[in-house]
Amino acid sequence: EINEMKAKLKKISLGVLAAALSVGLFTACSSDSGSSASSGSGSADTSAQADSQEERKDLEGVERPTSIKMMADTIMTKGNGIDDVLAKYKEITGIELVVEKPDHDVYYETLTKAFSSGDTPDVIEIGTTYYPNFADEGKLWDMLGAYEKSEAPVKSIIDENYIESLEIDGKLYGFPAQKGGGTVTYVRGDWMEEMGIENPKNYDEFIEMLRKFKERGEDIIPITAAGAMNSESPYNIFLREFYQDANPDFYKNSNSGRYVDGMTQPEMKDALQRLQDAHEEGLLDREIVTNDTSKARNKFFSGNVGCFNYWAGNWSVKIEEKLHKNVPEGFIKALTPIKEANYIERPSTAYSITDKAENKIGIYKFLIEFMHDGGEGQMLFTHGVEGIHWAKDGGKTVALPSRSNPDSLFDRAFFDPELSVTKFDDPISLDPRVRDSLDVLNKNSTLASLPYSTNHIEDLDKVNAVKKEIVNKILLGERTVDEGIEEYKSKVGDKAEAILDTLNG
């Protein structure tokens, strides 16, 4: 029966599944889990699954959880068929995965309340802004030992850089759900072709390109952005050509090994001068300091903007399709960065097992590793259920229309396919525009380090608010660079020094 099951599973055409069977990934349900209606294209042989499950349990010696409670933010919605994914997971593993998805705007408020009330989830999705704080508070389980001792395929297919990026003082409090993503500078490729402009190689050539865009008409905005300074870390992820090596955050100096206030460093002063000069010349959006992401996107969609720094990947398709509604012949290009600047990739969002969870090892083996197995599990948590979210068409695997928007194809379940942290041989091809923008990012980006824990830092929000205020004043020409930095020091210099004292301990 086990051989019969393996033959059936091979038909899924997910290359590493056979390896998963041999080393103990837990991908079948046990006989005591009860029956469950299949959400996919067919039902598996339950007796074969039970035998195979026992075989894998013997190999790993880990108890299978009966249920796992999870809270997540950026996953698919109920309207798009999350219940089908959860049913399929139970069919495969015998485990009931119960997922709560609060509204995005109140996700962390809801998560904090869950911890304080004692109704703590077993697994949580947590972004890098909050991850260090939750780890510092003892809310998360250190899974480094489980990861290092595991013999599952994930060890051989994952990019170790993303594991290391989530380590804090030699401990791993979360597993990288997917890459954190990064931004690239999108430019009107049709304008570049019309005007004979090549990819600018340095800052001077970039500014010259913006000047040529400005000559197209009075209503043209050469470059826009969602504000002059990002509202969360990394604060310098947008406007990369202007920030270059400057970072307004508190960061650890690579030479001294001690934290410095980036706002007062020489490279930040140079960046502020570049921003002010470009704004004075009319190259930067006049409303940039009041823009949010929606306003900046809409301006680019209108067809009057030349450059816009935004997320690589699926957004490349969305941006171009929105642009086509106003400029049918328009197209976008992801610029290779100028020599003075690189793009920035955020640290990964983490899937963390909470300190209150029972059978932490079982949750890690049966859920976290299963999600990242490079095969059946990753296919489920990336693309959903066969026959509902994807199908095979003439030997080709294709996404099916989204339930919530039948005019669009289903794009993700729990993970974005283009942001996999493993060597996942995805059977569904990426749109060439997605692939091209990611190629530019991956070849020309630096992975940002985790933010520091702010649990023991006072007045950080106030200091950051003043930083943003000063950046805006300087950009608008209301202060010279030196005047702005002096005003910053006079307003919050003592608080900034106290923060540095805390960080440098």
Side-chain angles (χ1 to χ4, degrees):
E1 288 181 336
I2 293 174
N3 290 335
E4 178 185 349
M5 178 193 172
K6 289 180 179 178
K8 289 181 181 179
L9 290 175
K10 286 179 182 177
K11 294 179 182 178
I12 300 174
S13 299
L14 299 171
V16 300
L17 190 55
L21 287 167
S22 68
V23 297
L25 277 182
F26 303 93
T27 56
C29 66
S30 68
S31 57
D32 65 351
S33 63
S35 60
S36 172
S38 172
S39 298
S41 57
S43 298
D45 186 313
T46 55
S47 62
Q49 286 179 331
D51 290 346
S52 186
Q53 174 63 43
E54 289 304 312
E55 176 184 277
R56 284 189 282 278
K57 182 174 179 179
D58 289 343
L59 284 169
E60 292 285 349
V62 175
E63 180 184 357
R64 174 179 54 82
T66 57
S67 66
I68 300 171
K69 186 168 63 173
M70 180 180 191
M71 185 178 291
D73 180 24
T74 63
I75 62 173
M76 64 193 296
T77 62
K78 192 175 184 70
N80 255 335
I82 189 173
D83 289 343
D84 298 297
V85 172
L86 301 181
K88 188 66 176 176
Y89 174 73
K90 184 174 182 179
E91 177 192 318
I92 296 170
T93 65
I95 300 169
E96 183 177 15
L97 179 59
V98 180
V99 178
E100 180 182 358
K101 184 186 185 307
D103 289 340
H104 175 70
D105 291 344
V106 296
Y107 176 75
Y108 287 101
E109 178 183 346
T110 306
L111 182 59
T112 300
K113 287 180 178 178
F115 275 94
S116 62
S117 69
D119 187 22
T120 311
D122 300 311
V123 179
I124 61 173
E125 177 186 354
I126 185 164
T128 52
T129 300
Y130 295 87
Y131 173 73
N133 286 352
F134 275 58
D136 187 41
E137 293 165 0
K139 294 177 178 178
L140 310 178
W141 175 59
D142 173 17
M143 61 179 69
L144 185 62
Y147 170 75
E148 290 181 338
K149 294 175 183 177
S150 174
E151 297 180 0
V154 67
K155 289 288 296 297
S156 63
I157 62 175
I158 195 167
D159 186 332
E160 286 280 349
N161 288 324
Y162 296 102
I163 293 289
E164 293 171 3
S165 73
L166 290 178
E167 290 186 18
I168 300 175
D169 296 331
K171 297 182 178 181
L172 182 66
Y173 295 103
F175 200 89
Q178 61 178 31
K179 295 178 182 179
T183 64
V184 296
T185 298
Y186 293 109
V187 65
R188 286 287 298 276
D190 51 316
W191 287 8
M192 293 182 75
E193 287 188 358
E194 287 175 20
M195 306 178 77
I197 301 172
E198 296 183 354
N199 195 116
K201 298 181 180 64
N202 53 49
Y203 181 71
D204 289 341
E205 290 186 8
F206 180 77
I207 289 296
E208 190 58 34
M209 180 181 71
L210 298 186
R211 288 173 178 147
K212 290 181 179 179
F213 287 167
K214 183 184 176 185
E215 293 171 0
R216 294 181 69 91
E218 291 184 0
D219 59 341
I220 295 299
I221 300 172
I223 185 169
T224 191
M229 175 177 152
N230 194 27
S231 58
E232 62 182 9
S233 179
Y235 297 104
N236 57 342
I237 197 168
F238 299 130
L239 294 169
R240 293 299 306 137
E241 294 79 12
F242 298 94
Y243 275 103
Q244 298 181 14
D245 56 350
N247 181 1
D249 198 4
F250 297 96
Y251 63 88
K252 188 172 288 188
N253 183 284
S254 58
N255 293 322
S256 67
R258 294 180 62 79
Y259 280 91
V260 297
D261 183 356
M263 190 68 179
T264 60
Q265 299 304 299
E267 54 268 24
M268 187 63 191
K269 293 184 178 182
D270 293 340
L272 291 170
Q273 191 62 61
R274 286 189 290 269
L275 287 166
Q276 186 183 75
D277 291 345
H279 186 268
E280 183 178 0
E281 193 176 340
L283 304 180
L284 276 175
D285 185 354
R286 293 294 185 187
E287 300 174 333
I288 195 168
V289 300
T290 57
N291 279 350
D292 56 20
T293 53
S294 178
K295 287 180 181 178
R297 286 198 306 262
N298 288 336
K299 287 179 180 181
F300 193 84
F301 300 157
S302 73
N304 294 330
V305 175
C307 290
F308 173 49
N309 186 274
Y310 210 59
W311 304 106
N314 275 335
W315 270 106
S316 62
V317 176
K318 296 176 184 178
I319 290 170
E320 189 166 272
E321 289 179 349
K322 291 282 189 180
L323 175 65
H324 282 165
K325 292 183 178 181
N326 295 302
V327 188
E329 71 280 7
F331 68 91
I332 63 173
K333 175 183 178 181
L335 289 181
T336 300
I338 59 176
K339 72 174 184 179
E340 296 93 341
N342 233 17
Y343 294 133
I344 296 174
E345 183 181 354
R346 295 178 302 184
S348 300
T349 295
Y351 272 10
S352 296
I353 298 173
T354 64
D355 188 60
K356 301 296 183 183
E358 298 181 3
N359 190 8
K360 298 177 179 65
I361 294 287
I363 294 171
Y364 173 80
K365 296 300 298 181
F366 281 90
L367 180 63
I368 303 297
E369 285 192 345
F370 179 73
M371 287 175 158
H372 297 85
D373 66 355
E376 183 183 29
Q378 191 160 350
M379 187 69 182
L380 175 63
F381 282 95
T382 301
H383 290 296
V385 180
E386 183 177 6
I388 296 175
H389 302 108
W390 59 273
K392 293 179 180 178
D393 183 12
K396 184 179 180 181
T397 305
V398 297
L400 294 176
S402 168
R403 283 181 174 177
S404 61
N405 182 10
D407 292 333
S408 299
L409 296 177
F410 181 78
D411 58 357
R412 73 189 302 273
F414 282 54
F415 309 137
D416 290 297
E418 74 272 20
L419 298 179
S420 172
V421 292
T422 70
K423 298 173 183 176
F424 176 40
D425 188 13
D426 195 334
I428 299 180
S429 299
L430 291 175
D431 185 293
R433 292 167 292 185
V434 173
R435 188 175 59 246
D436 290 347
S437 66
L438 287 172
D439 190 50
V440 170
L441 175 68
N442 293 336
K443 290 180 179 178
N444 303 282
S445 63
T446 302
L447 183 59
S449 57
L450 278 175
Y452 39 80
S453 173
T454 59
N455 283 334
H456 310 291
I457 298 176
E458 296 182 1
D459 298 319
L460 181 63
D461 289 343
K462 183 174 183 179
V463 170
N464 283 338
V466 173
K467 286 183 178 183
K468 191 168 186 176
E469 173 194 342
I470 297 301
V471 168
N472 289 343
K473 285 182 177 180
I474 293 173
L475 180 146
L476 295 173
E478 297 174 2
R479 302 285 189 279
T480 66
V481 172
D482 288 338
E483 288 171 347
I485 297 302
E486 286 306 311
E487 182 176 345
Y488 166 74
K489 292 177 179 178
S490 68
K491 284 187 172 181
V492 293
D494 56 337
K495 294 179 174 59
E497 286 298 323
I499 291 171
L500 288 175
D501 288 344
T502 300
L503 290 172
N504 288 315

